Amino acid sequence: MRSYLNAIRKYATFSGRASRTEYWLFALFYFIFGAVAVFLDALLFDAVGEDPGPLTILFVIAHILPGFAVLSRRLHDTDHSAWWMLLYLTGIGIFILLIFALIRGTEGPNRYGVDPHGEGSVMPAAAHGHPQGGGGADIVAELERLSSLKERGAISEDEYAAMKARALGTGNPA
């Protein structure tokens, strides 16, 4: 459920990466909630057959943008451009997108951001053995690594600021 809610919160975020788990749990809950909407339409509005009821229409409209956004981030995790979504228009392209959604993402950071599985992401300073978020060689190395990722364009300025704050243990971007 958390992955579904995360995708809804990022309803128009087409940058970054989404893990297989995030994508497929979004798809699962989309299917479940969509089935509930169809059932309620049949129960409340006698909408059965080819014509969808008003709840189903509202549900689908509300989920178009989050669905494309999470698919875009999933494609980014496999180091593919979101332009690959145009394959939806071909019919056969749906199967290619399915394969991209099923394969494991690239390990570590890629040109679309840090690994959503945690490899290449930043842990809080306390996780580096500094309970008060104190300095140390680990923090310096992490900050150098983040700076390198930013310079290469693997992470944005905002992502850099947030990760730097987490590395320093401040919790707020600096």
Side-chain angles (χ1 to χ4, degrees):
M1 182 68 159
R2 186 179 316 152
S3 293
Y4 172 80
L5 293 175
N6 187 38
I8 294 298
R9 274 187 224 104
K10 296 179 178 180
Y11 73 96
T13 304
F14 289 83
S15 62
R17 296 168 61 176
S19 66
R20 282 185 292 191
T21 303
E22 181 180 350
Y23 177 79
W24 286 108
L25 285 176
F26 172 81
L28 173 67
F29 282 104
Y30 176 85
F31 176 77
I32 291 169
F33 294 147
V36 168
V38 169
F39 175 75
L40 289 175
D41 276 337
L43 189 66
L44 299 173
F45 302 105
D46 199 30
V48 181
E50 293 180 17
D51 296 328
L55 295 177
T56 303
I57 292 170
L58 288 174
F59 176 80
V60 169
I61 289 171
H63 284 81
I64 287 174
L65 200 54
F68 281 128
V70 74
L71 177 57
S72 171
R73 292 191 309 274
R74 181 69 200 121
L75 287 169
H76 289 169
D77 190 42
T78 61
D79 206 22
H80 291 90
S81 168
W83 287 104
W84 281 87
M85 286 192 292
L86 290 175
L87 289 175
Y88 266 129
L89 303 174
T90 67
I92 190 87
I94 293 171
F95 297 108
I96 296 169
L97 291 171
L98 176 66
I99 291 169
F100 287 157
L102 288 170
I103 62 174
R104 183 177 182 158
T106 55
E107 292 186 25
N110 68 15
R111 61 187 165 152
Y112 297 105
V114 297
D115 191 340
H117 293 289
E119 295 177 29
S121 64
V122 179
M123 297 188 309
H128 288 286
H130 306 289
Q132 301 303 321
D138 289 340
I139 300 282
V140 172
E142 187 63 24
L143 292 174
E144 288 173 353
R145 186 184 70 78
L146 288 174
S147 179
S148 171
L149 288 172
K150 184 181 78 166
E151 289 172 11
R152 288 191 322 227
I155 60 175
S156 69
E157 187 70 38
D158 291 338
E159 290 171 320
Y160 171 76
M163 292 174 177
K164 179 181 170 186
R166 276 186 275 162
L168 294 172
T170 61
N172 296 322

